[in-house]
Amino acid sequence: MNKKTREKYPSDLTDKEWEEISPLFKGMRNRKWSKRELTDAVLYINKTGCQWRQLPHDFPPYSTVWSFYRRACKSGLWDAILRHLVKITRENAGRASVPTYGIIDSQSVKTIYNSQARGFDGGKKIKGRKRHIVVDIMGNLLAVYVHSANLHDTTMGIVPAILAHSRYPTLLKFCGDQGYRKTFEEDIREFLGLGVDISKKINPQNFYVLPKRWVVERTFSWMNNSRRLSKDYEISTSSSENMIKVSHSRILLKRLL
């Protein structure tokens, strides 16, 4: 356990925030550095977008932080934290602890040159990846799937939908924009036996806030609070997915406490 004190960064967890998630860290061993200190270092990376090697020296060594982050990804720790916080957030809002309605959408982002699963999104004119997410009616992240940007929403949307349904079998219906017509609707019916609400544009010439659709767009805007997500800097798609989970968990913690 490292006893060195340092000045707090804005991204650090408060005592109450750490108390909320610390029970989920069972099995994450590190004899020299505290789990809280390692988590604060990951949050600093996520918030500021700096390279692992550029981590300030008052944190644990970057190689130790990277190892902790990767072990947490493999063990499903970030996913467990996110699911716990979604449950608490819903309960505090007076809703059921599990969702029944999922809203799906994707976001195309640029990547670094040597990232895996890169492609060109002809509609958005972006070479990189797509972040496919499913959220509940409050905008809480239920599932995320990162894939090549050249793959169309209607064919790939079934993957995050299945992920969301496996985590939350209480989901009864999904909602998507017009990009999810036909193939996605058929896949949801075939694999999950559920229906899909397709939101149609009210007037293509003007901007309107569509019912339910604005919720998932707001969740994408929340990602902008984390500079690490301003572009997809991760080599692997699994790391990209976990960085999104870390970012969203931090947002939920701030809202809760």
Side-chain angles (χ1 to χ4, degrees), residues 201-247:
K201 292 183 179 180
I202 299 174
N203 187 335
Q205 303 302 322
N206 299 302
F207 173 79
Y208 291 92
V209 177
L210 298 178
K212 300 185 182 71
R213 294 297 309 157
W214 67 271
V215 176
V216 67
E217 298 295 346
R218 183 184 61 180
T219 301
F220 278 128
S221 71
W222 286 343
M223 293 182 186
N224 295 330
N225 293 321
S226 299
R227 186 165 290 184
R228 186 80 180 187
L229 303 182
S230 63
K231 181 180 178 180
D232 196 331
Y233 294 100
E234 312 306 315
I235 300 297
S236 67
T237 56
S238 62
S239 183
S240 296
E241 293 166 359
N242 279 284
M243 275 295 176
I244 293 171
K245 293 174 184 177
V246 170
S247 174

Side-chain angles (χ1 to χ4, degrees), residues 2-248:
N2 186 275
K3 301 296 183 181
K4 183 177 68 174
T5 59
R6 62 171 175 81
E7 293 186 9
K8 290 288 185 180
Y9 291 101
S11 58
D12 286 355
L13 294 168
T14 65
D15 291 340
K16 288 185 177 181
E17 290 170 346
W18 174 245
E19 289 174 6
E20 183 64 43
I21 63 174
S22 59
L24 300 171
F25 282 73
K26 294 180 180 179
M28 296 294 293
R29 298 181 180 179
N30 195 292
R31 298 179 180 178
K32 183 177 181 181
W33 300 95
S34 72
K35 297 171 186 176
R36 179 174 178 177
E37 192 75 1
L38 292 167
T39 304
D40 282 340
V42 173
L43 292 175
Y44 181 90
I45 291 282
N46 187 271
K47 181 66 176 180
T48 64
C50 74
Q51 298 175 329
W52 291 96
R53 291 177 181 271
Q54 303 300 324
L55 195 66
H57 295 299
D58 48 0
F59 280 119
Y62 81 88
S63 57
T64 303
V65 178
W66 165 250
S67 175
F68 166 78
Y69 168 72
R70 291 300 301 157
R71 286 185 288 115
C73 290
K74 292 180 180 180
S75 67
L77 174 63
W78 307 124
D79 188 60
I81 292 174
L82 177 61
R83 293 179 65 180
H84 171 72
L85 294 176
V86 168
K87 175 184 176 182
I88 300 301
T89 300
R90 290 182 59 86
E91 290 176 343
N92 285 359
R95 294 180 176 271
S97 60
V98 289
T100 58
Y101 196 77
I103 309 171
I104 188 170
D105 202 0
S106 69
Q107 177 191 60
S108 295
V109 292
K110 294 180 179 179
T111 58
I112 57 177
Y113 71 96
N114 59 345
S115 298
Q116 65 174 213
R118 299 170 72 218
F120 184 74
D121 182 345
K124 302 292 180 61
K125 301 296 187 292
I126 291 177
K127 186 175 183 179
R129 293 172 175 160
K130 277 187 180 179
R131 296 165 174 166
H132 235 124
I133 66 171
V134 178
V135 303
D136 65 9
I137 201 66
M138 297 178 63
N140 299 320
L141 185 66
L142 305 182
V144 55
Y145 178 62
V146 176
H147 58 83
S148 175
N150 63 301
L151 301 178
H152 200 275
D153 293 354
T154 191
T155 57
M156 297 306 296
I158 187 62
V159 181
I162 290 177
L163 287 173
H165 192 264
S166 66
R167 291 177 172 87
Y168 301 96
T170 52
L171 287 172
L172 302 177
K173 209 168 190 180
F174 288 89
C175 176
D177 60 24
Q178 294 186 85
Y180 292 92
R181 290 174 297 177
K182 296 183 179 180
T183 302
F184 178 72
E185 295 177 282
E186 294 170 358
D187 287 343
I188 288 293
R189 192 180 307 113
E190 177 183 352
F191 292 102
L192 301 178
L194 303 178
V196 179
D197 290 333
I198 299 297
S199 298
K200 299 180 179 179
K201 292 183 179 180
I202 299 174
N203 187 335
Q205 303 302 322
N206 299 302
F207 173 79
Y208 291 92
V209 177
L210 298 178
K212 300 185 182 71
R213 294 297 309 157
W214 67 271
V215 176
V216 67
E217 298 295 346
R218 183 184 61 180
T219 301
F220 278 128
S221 71
W222 286 343
M223 293 182 186
N224 295 330
N225 293 321
S226 299
R227 186 165 290 184
R228 186 80 180 187
L229 303 182
S230 63
K231 181 180 178 180
D232 196 331
Y233 294 100
E234 312 306 315
I235 300 297
S236 67
T237 56
S238 62
S239 183
S240 296
E241 293 166 359
N242 279 284
M243 275 295 176
I244 293 171
K245 293 174 184 177
V246 170
S247 174
H248 197 78

